[in-house]
Amino acid sequence: MIRSPLRLLMPMAAAVALAGVSAPALAQSMSEPAGHHNMVAPPHLSLAAYGEVKVAPDMATINFGVMTEAATAEEALRQNAQYMERVMAALRRAGIAERDIQTSGLNLSAQYDYQQDQPPRLRGYQATNRVTVTVRDLSRVGTTADAVVSAGVNQIDGISFGLTDRTAAEDQARRLAVRDLQRKAGLYAEALGVQLGGIRGLSEGTSMSVSPPMPYARSMAIESADASTSVSPGELTVRVDISGVYDLIR
């Protein structure tokens, strides 16, 4: 069962740096050439924070391939094309749209046998056709994987999960990050006995951590017609890192 779309985590501090503050005074005098007034470098506060949001994925990606070997290159490609026709038909029956099927690699290579003190001997040719499929109904991930294997797929790299649109999760993580940045800025100003001024600048970076692709393990309960590979989507972590520079007022 897919969990609720969003569950918030309280942000934590990433890094803190205090710049422009020197003992005994916050302001530091800067010498100017003759004819210029002395200027004071404004003290400032540099801080970093982040916000994280846990969100349930709404899509999955399956990377798989068909590998065939034959004595000639033409035969290896012909056999591969036959299997791929069956695989594509299975995907259509599983409800996968054409826009969600993408060829990610096509390779043909000679295969050799090697023996000590002997020149390599050509054994034949190997053809591989790799496909990436996006599954938008997570309840069909396991049955889709089983369907393509039954149709002739003999290589599956794994199943990974993601989000169709990260905007809502990223925006919520931004709010959390800014809230914590503001809290820390006020705390430092209070501890230093100064007033917090305006913010000079703000920068951010975003990321989404996902679990490594799940290895494919087909159910062995073949005697049951309803048996299919079990898939658990889990949760994704969307994170926004920010850093800001605040003016300090004595």
Side-chain angles (χ1 to χ4, degrees), residues 2 16 38 42 83 101 105 107 109 134 164 174 177 180 185 193-194 200 232 236:
I2 308 294
V16 177
N38 288 338
Y83 281 114
I101 305 172
N107 183 66
S109 59
T134 298
T164 303
R174 287 184 180 101
D180 194 50
V194 297
R200 296 186 189 178
S232 301
L236 310 174

Side-chain angles (χ1 to χ4, degrees), residues 1-2 56-59 138 141 161 211 214 231-236:
M1 176 178 293
I2 308 294
D58 60 8
M59 58 167 284
L138 294 187
V141 174
F161 297 93
S211 301
M214 294 174 51
V231 175
S232 301
E235 287 185 328
L236 310 174

Side-chain angles (χ1 to χ4, degrees), residues 16-21 43-47 184-186 188-189 192 196 200 244-248:
V16 177
L18 184 61
V21 179
H44 60 275
L45 187 66
S46 297
L47 296 171
K184 289 193 292 182
Y188 273 92
L192 290 166
L196 187 66
R200 296 186 189 178
V245 179
Y246 292 85
D247 286 326
L248 295 177

Side-chain angles (χ1 to χ4, degrees), residues 62-109:
I62 308 175
N63 296 293
F64 60 82
V66 173
M67 187 271 289
T68 54
E69 288 190 355
T72 66
E74 292 81 0
E75 180 63 17
L77 284 173
R78 188 189 66 79
Q79 292 181 13
N80 197 283
Q82 288 180 340
Y83 281 114
M84 286 304 301
E85 285 184 8
R86 293 166 50 187
V87 170
M88 293 303 174
L91 288 172
R92 288 192 291 270
R93 289 193 299 270
I96 305 299
E98 291 290 337
R99 65 186 178 94
D100 292 328
I101 305 172
Q102 182 180 45
T103 299
S104 54
L106 180 62
N107 183 66
L108 176 67
S109 59

Side-chain angles (χ1 to χ4, degrees), residues 7-13 50-53 176-177 179-180 183:
R7 178 165 63 84
L8 306 185
L9 290 185
M10 289 301 295
M12 299 176 61
Y50 69 86
E52 281 188 349
V53 172
L176 291 173
R179 187 183 307 168
D180 194 50
R183 179 192 65 81

Side-chain angles (χ1 to χ4, degrees), residues 189-210:
E190 179 184 358
L192 290 166
V194 297
Q195 292 183 355
L196 187 66
I199 187 167
R200 296 186 189 178
L202 184 71
S203 62
E204 76 156 34
T206 62
S207 65
M208 183 172 70
S209 61
V210 299

